[in-house]
Amino acid sequence: MDEATPMPRPVRTARILLWIYIVVMALVAALILFFAGSAPAGVDTSQIYLITGWSAALLVLTAFLTVKLTARRRWARFGLIAIMALNVLGYVANLAAGGGLSLPAIVGLGLAIGVIVHLFRHDSRAYLDQ
C-alpha cells in the first residue's frame, strides 16, 4: 500500500474506540481524584494519587500512540496492543481478586478488547506494518 491508501475501516474503528477509552478513563480518574480530595482527615490517599498518576501517564502515552496511528507507525500499533493487553490483564486480575466489575471496568474492558481485535485484523496489519 502506498501513502495515498485510505485508512482501512478496522484502523478507523480502533482509533474511535481508543479516543472513547481515553475520554472515559480520564473522566473516571478525575472523579477518583475529586472524591479522594474530599476524603475525611486522617485517611491516607497517597496510593490513590499514585495509581491515578500512573493511569494518567498511560493515558497520555495511549493518546500519543493513537495520534501516531494516522502516521502509519508500526510501533504505535504494537504499543497500543501491549497497553490494551495490560489493561485487559488488569481488569481480569481485579475480577479474580474479588474486585468485581463496575461500569467503568466493563466499558474499559470492552473497549480494550475491541481495540486489540481491530488492530490484529489483516487490513490493519497491512496498512500499519510497512
Side-chain angles (χ1 to χ4, degrees):
M1 293 186 188
D2 59 49
E3 291 296 320
T5 304
M7 185 179 288
R9 183 178 300 255
V11 178
R12 284 194 315 260
T13 303
R15 287 182 61 231
I16 291 167
L17 293 175
L18 283 160
W19 286 116
I20 293 169
Y21 180 86
I22 291 164
V23 169
V24 168
M25 292 305 135
L27 288 172
V28 168
L31 285 172
I32 289 171
L33 287 175
F34 173 76
F35 287 114
S38 62
V43 174
D44 183 20
T45 56
S46 60
Q47 281 189 324
I48 293 172
Y49 290 123
L50 179 67
I51 292 169
T52 306
W54 173 250
S55 298
L58 281 176
L59 278 178
V60 169
L61 178 60
T62 302
F64 172 75
L65 293 173
T66 301
V67 169
K68 289 301 179 182
L69 281 180
T70 59
R72 299 174 74 169
R73 300 290 185 234
R74 179 182 207 181
W75 49 266
R77 177 179 165 264
F78 289 128
L80 287 167
I81 289 171
I83 290 171
M84 293 297 117
L86 288 173
N87 285 333
V88 169
L89 289 175
Y91 291 125
V92 171
N94 186 43
L95 183 61
L101 280 179
S102 62
L103 180 61
I106 293 169
V107 170
L109 180 61
L111 290 170
I113 290 171
V115 168
I116 292 169
V117 167
H118 282 88
L119 289 180
F120 265 115
R121 301 250 340 226
H122 175 70
D123 293 349
S124 298
R125 285 180 295 164
Y127 181 77
L128 296 168
D129 291 352
Q130 297 190 21

